[in-house]
Amino acid sequence: EPEVTQTPSHQVTQMGQEVILRCVPISNHLYFYWYRQILGQKVEFLVSFYNNEISEKSEIFDDQFSVERPDGSNFTLKIRSTKLEDSAMYFCASSENRDQETQYFGPGTRLLVL
Amino acid sequence: SQKIEQNSEALNIQEGKTATLTCNYTNYSPAYLQWYRQDPGRGPVFLLLIRENEKEKRKERLKVTFDTTLKQSLFHITASQPADSATYLCALVAGGNKLTFGTGTQLKVEL
């Protein structure tokens, strides 16, 4: 069964450093998402992406964040200058199209900012 | 303000019993509501979706109800098994296609 994959599974970085989290969505899916989950808290929406542009973003997704689909398979989330409060699990998700409501989540990247 | 509330206390039940989890929401008009399962350190896994014009949905041992008047969804697992132990998340979509999640309810099924 096709699945969303994410790399790396764990990332440790120093405050102020840039990180890039990578995702490979399910191959025929057209909508892509990033969510995050701070330890012990709920899953929060960050951004959705369709047709090579952001379709919706939350208040969390400020100028320090950016997303890109650099090729036909990868979808990346970049955090330009990490803060301690960026420490969280970051989940990528994809859905087939706008009318296919189910989102399929990847296993996540655990980011720790020191 | 908008809220999605799930019972924050863990639910412990005996194997074979029916587990019932609750999701209440305020100040939303969701087009549909979804239930996901999350195991520790893993991503959410989709279980069931129910639309605003549906009252009930079933899949194997799972059943979801949706009452837009009460603003509540109930999630049932019948004949529960220890393997059903996990955190169960409800998520709403109300405009756009972003998911807004509740905090989840941890279910533990004991032998």
Side-chain angles (χ1 to χ4, degrees):
Chain A
E1 188 175 325
E3 56 184 22
V4 176
T5 59
Q6 291 186 243
T7 54
S9 58
H10 294 78
Q11 173 103 37
V12 181
T13 190
Q14 295 290 324
M15 192 169 56
Q17 295 295 304
E18 173 183 287
V19 294
I20 297 176
L21 311 182
R22 291 184 167 78
C23 168
V24 178
I26 294 173
S27 64
N28 63 333
H29 285 191
L30 301 177
Y31 279 83
F32 314 116
Y33 313 83
W34 284 100
Y35 293 81
R36 79 170 186 192
Q37 186 175 31
I38 294 170
L39 188 63
Q41 296 187 24
K42 61 184 178 180
V43 178
E44 299 175 289
F45 170 79
L46 293 177
V47 66
S48 60
F49 190 86
Y50 170 71
N51 200 24
N52 279 322
E53 59 184 28
I54 290 172
S55 49
E56 193 171 359
K57 62 182 180 179
S58 71
E59 290 174 356
I60 303 166
F61 194 88
D62 61 23
D63 293 343
Q64 292 300 312
F65 291 88
S66 62
V67 288
E68 195 179 30
R69 187 148 163 87
D71 53 43
S73 59
N74 289 285
F75 179 51
T76 62
L77 174 69
K78 183 193 291 186
I79 311 175
R80 254 179 280 284
S81 177
T82 49
K83 307 185 193 80
L84 297 176
E85 54 265 36
D86 293 329
S87 295
M89 279 286 273
Y90 288 80
F91 295 110
C92 173
S94 68
S95 62
E96 192 171 346
N97 55 51
R98 189 185 170 87
D99 295 325
Q100 203 270 345
E101 303 98 342
T102 302
Q103 294 181 23
Y104 295 88
F105 283 75
T109 293
R110 185 176 296 281
L111 176 66
L112 179 59
V113 182
L114 301 175
Chain B
S1 62
Q2 294 178 317
K3 275 192 214 174
I4 303 170
E5 292 178 315
Q6 295 185 253
N7 196 339
S8 57
E9 287 184 21
L11 178 63
N12 294 336
I13 63 165
Q14 260 192 320
E15 185 180 19
K17 301 288 186 192
T18 297
T20 299
L21 287 69
T22 305
C23 176
N24 294 297
Y25 58 92
T26 52
N27 294 320
Y28 281 104
S29 296
Y32 52 92
L33 184 149
Q34 305 189 36
W35 284 88
Y36 284 79
R37 169 184 172 139
Q38 188 176 29
D39 291 283
R42 308 296 299 272
V45 174
F46 171 77
L47 296 174
L48 277 172
L49 178 152
I50 188 163
R51 291 184 175 79
E52 58 180 335
N53 60 349
E54 297 174 319
K55 294 271 189 245
E56 184 179 297
K57 209 72 167 293
R58 290 174 187 260
K59 179 182 172 185
E60 297 171 355
R61 294 184 296 113
L62 308 180
K63 184 177 92 171
V64 172
T65 63
F66 194 12
D67 189 326
T68 54
T69 303
L70 288 179
K71 296 188 184 298
Q72 181 181 79
S73 174
L74 299 178
F75 177 78
H76 307 271
I77 306 174
T78 57
S80 58
Q81 304 163 0
D84 296 326
S85 299
T87 296
Y88 290 86
L89 311 176
C90 92
L92 300 181
V93 175
N97 49 359
K98 72 177 187 190
L99 292 171
T100 303
F101 283 90
T103 49
T105 297
Q106 188 177 359
L107 172 68
K108 187 170 180 188
V109 181
E110 296 162 337
L111 291 168

